[in-house]
Amino acid sequence: MGSVQIVTTILAAAITAVAVWLAVRAVLKMVAVIRLGQPAPERFTDKVARARTMLVETAGHTRMLKWGVVGAAHWFVMVGFVVLSLLVLEAYFEVVTTDGGLPIIGHWTIFGLVTEIIGVLGLVGILVLMAIRLRNRPTRPGGRSRFTGSTMWQGYFVEWIVLLVLIFGFVIRGFKVATDHFEFPFWATPVSHAVGAVLPDWADGVSVAAAIKIIISMTWLIVISLNVTMGVAWHRFLAFPNIFFKREPTKPAGSGLGALRPMTSQGKPLDFEEADPEKDQFGVAHVEQFSWKGLLDFSTCTECGRCQSQCPAWNTGKPLSPKLLILSLRDHAYAKAPYLLAGGGKDLTGEEKATQAQLAHLDVLALAEADKPLIGTAEEGGVIDPDVLWSCTTCGACVEQCPVDIEHVDHIVDMRRYQVLIESSFPSEAGVMLRNLENKGNPWGAPQNTREDWTKGLDFEVPRVGEVDDFEYLFWVGCAGAFEDRAKKTTRAVATLLNEAGVKFAILGEGETCSGDPARRIGNEFVFQMLAQQNVETLNEAFEGRDKAKRKIVATCPHCFNTLGNEYGQLGGEFEVVHHTQLLAHLVATGKLTPVQPVDGGVTYHDPCYLGRHNRVFAAPREVLGDAIAGDLTEMPRNSERSFCCGAGGARMWMEEKIGKRINVDRVEEAMATGAKTVAVGCPFCSTMLSDGVNGKGAGEQVEVIDVASVLLRSVKPEQPQGGKETTPVGG
Ligand code: SF4
Ligand code: SF4
């Protein structure tokens, strides 16, 4: 060992010792913060499925690759990080001696070849990512950026470190080539040989370059250890547990979607018959009331902004960005953590838990952070502004896009639950809807005895459950389908088609009440449970004696479809629920319905969020339309998984949209830009929102918004009177 090697070895050892000490301290701090969250025992089930999903999602980059070039570039950088960590390890041997290398595998030609290939691809990958970040920088003139609000220096810092580490990997090898210490042949390591050809024959070059590489790597470790909220770096480690503990490990994509989580206290679902707000947690009022998985979510956010780029609220000028919401919660959690870790916090009656002595030596900033209300305006010092909280349509685009499986919708609804149930604080116009649900069992407050009015004028009898018991499908009509004029046309079309196809079906009629979806999504879990329990009882009675496979329900409303199929199981109701487009596609495919006259004029299809993204039903409505229309379906640019919300979900249907551009107008402009004369939908709320949008643009005579079932009916029974356009919703 020469004098240069003595210096490089000491430098490498010293900076590594500091970095490792800081990293251990940072990891302990993060673990302590995450452990402040509430229990979530359900996250420990299905460990094999969880491990499989984690490996598939990370190795396969299932979300990222949907973004094409950026996904591929990130994959190479990720693989490069894992494999080339071995080369960082090797650098510790190289600072000691110029011909040092990794023991055993470091001398295999295959090791030289693989690391060479990954080094080159990693270099290309990181240059592509750097170019993409620069091209999308928020400060560039004109245009929107998914990085708006992201901490840009952190992204640039991480990318430069990766670039420099990769470059120095080749410089070390180059010096080995130049000094004749390189053992791999040219065919396996051509780039290293090319670098060696231009480097001088400097005997200590290997050790010096290796020391620089270690210093760069450890600088990265020191910086991220001093910044525990630096998700762009920490996600390299946190993404694995965050994906492993995702809510629905068996669902490959959109994992946090579909059902909402039940309201829990101490990790146990709340039963409102016994729940007590002084003993049980009702939703989330303080950041530590999220589960530990919530706190892990916040820590893992990479600030990539994919969620933000797809969010209908953000894209129409609302203050909600799912990314900024997660970042606000993360920063608040870590800033408040010293107070919580000292024993601070409020009990469920609002009393401080810590003694004065416990808080005596606390940083004033942590104490100030602890005083911030979780939901509050800027003047109130709130962490999340109420306008942010109430802008969400629960469309799920954010969860769908998030490469590290953050579950934004669950967190938003948990915060809404506290606001609604304890604070009674929510947009006042939604109060009418909630009162109607409680008193009349439907959001419009229509009389229950008019639920079957849609059957009037049909040329066949619609059977009720109880009058017949050999029905195959229970037709769940839904409140919109029973009371709202446009939706009633869909209900009649579906009933007519089922009758035409010879499907035995029956309705509950006046026995049906609202599924509870709007109550649950606005945060009123109490009203949801009340309605859902009543429906589960009614449905269990209707299907008495049948096993699950024969408890079949067809629903026209994707919100009912989702709630009955995915959420009633939480209350003891297990049913096989299909959307009407799925059943109609099956009836056409099996020859029970035959389209005879293609509908022309150009047709586009709007994917309802609760049918498509939340429940992955993309093909069935397209199959029905493919059979019923002339020519091909014209897709909008944002379709299927990336469909853009109509603006009605998350109970937004019953709230005024006062900020920014109207979401339905944005969507209608996209639909009209396709040139289609018909906008087909599969949801009564989308139908209302898009019809309003079309009418608002004065295009009501040129463009028709119509359910997929009505398109099919026109094709199957062209002689059937279709009725004039009805545009006045109940109560509207
Ligand atoms: S669910 Fe939809 S509206 Fe809500 S934050 Fe996510 S993308 Fe935005
Ligand atoms: S929440 Fe997910 S998609 Fe959104 S910025 Fe963070 S990592 Fe990216």
Side-chain angles (χ1 to χ4, degrees), residues 301-307 323 402-404 406 408:
C301 178
T302 72
E303 306 193 18
C304 69
R306 283 178 182 77
C307 54
K323 175 184 75 179
C402 182
V404 291
I406 287 169
H408 318 65

Side-chain angles (χ1 to χ4, degrees), residues 43 242-243 245-248 255-257 261 291 293-294 297-298 326 398-399 402 404-413:
R43 305 284 178 165
N242 212 49
I243 295 172
F245 290 115
K246 69 194 283 189
R247 175 142 73 82
E248 303 280 356
S255 60
L257 304 179
R261 285 177 60 246
S291 74
K293 175 60 171 63
D297 271 2
F298 309 154
I326 294 295
C398 47
V399 185
C402 182
V404 291
D405 279 322
I406 287 169
E407 295 162 356
H408 318 65
V409 177
D410 289 342
H411 306 320
I412 289 170
V413 173

Side-chain angles (χ1 to χ4, degrees), residues 257 307-308 310-314 320-323 325 391-399 408-409 412 416 613-614 645 663:
L257 304 179
C307 54
Q308 177 174 289
Q310 305 293 308
C311 174
W314 181 257
L320 165 64
S321 147
K323 175 184 75 179
L325 177 126
S391 288
C392 179
T393 68
T394 70
C395 72
C398 47
V399 185
H408 318 65
V409 177
I412 289 170
R416 285 184 174 186
R613 232 179 343 251
H614 281 279
C645 183
I663 294 174

Side-chain angles (χ1 to χ4, degrees), residues 178-197:
T179 55
D180 225 8
H181 286 118
F182 199 52
E183 54 199 319
F184 302 124
F186 179 84
W187 66 265
T189 52
V191 178
S192 300
H193 279 271
V195 173

